[in-house]
Amino acid sequence: MSRIDELLEQARARLRRVDPAAARAAIDAGAVLVDIRAESQRRRDGVVPGSVFIARNVLEWRCDPDGSDRDERVADPGRPLIVMCDAGYQSSLAAAALHELGHDRATDLDGGFQAWRAAGLPVEPLDPDE
């Protein structure tokens, strides 16, 4: 097993990953879907309505409850966060990192955006002004 596979396995052991249907239910109950995909992916494939885009390279700063660069939409450690990447790998590592910041309810979308779209859940084109 490669080191990245080990790291991914360790990260996922900390998470209660959700499939698209469970993610939809959690969002309806107040969870925030955090889209960390690259802009090129979002432009090509679209976005999930109501998701919050945060670039992966600043995710921890925006989610830090005490940080000066926090984003109030995602900084409350009591609010469930579901991290979404394209296929569900990068999001596992990102969600595990959020646990280090006190976001014990953070998890990721198993299969990422591609699983969401394949499940027939809502997707819309990226707003060109976003």
Side-chain angles (χ1 to χ4, degrees):
M1 180 181 289
S2 72
R3 289 184 184 180
I4 189 61
D5 290 334
E6 289 176 12
L7 184 61
L8 190 58
E9 185 176 292
Q10 291 169 1
R12 288 179 172 169
R14 301 175 69 181
L15 306 174
R16 290 189 175 138
R17 302 183 80 210
V18 293
D19 65 19
R24 174 80 263 166
I27 293 163
D28 290 344
V32 177
L33 183 64
V34 182
D35 188 347
I36 62 168
R37 293 177 300 141
E39 184 173 338
S40 60
Q41 292 170 318
R42 297 169 64 242
R43 194 176 325 111
R44 179 191 69 213
D45 294 335
V47 297
V48 174
S51 63
V52 174
F53 170 67
I54 299 180
R56 175 63 190 99
N57 64 322
V58 295
L59 180 67
E60 288 85 353
W61 283 265
R62 300 300 177 258
C63 293
D64 182 357
D66 302 316
S68 60
D69 294 317
R70 72 183 171 274
D71 181 325
E72 295 302 334
R73 300 172 298 174
V74 294
D76 179 357
R79 189 165 192 189
L81 302 177
I82 302 169
V83 183
M84 178 183 70
C85 66
D86 192 55
Y89 294 92
Q90 185 181 38
S91 58
S92 295
L93 299 174
L98 295 182
H99 279 238
E100 298 296 324
L101 290 174
H103 288 275
D104 297 334
R105 298 175 73 187
T107 191
D108 77 319
L109 177 59
D110 191 359
F113 177 85
Q114 297 305 324
W116 178 277
R117 183 172 61 183
L121 293 168
V123 173
E124 64 187 20
L126 176 64
D127 180 343
D129 293 331
E130 194 171 305

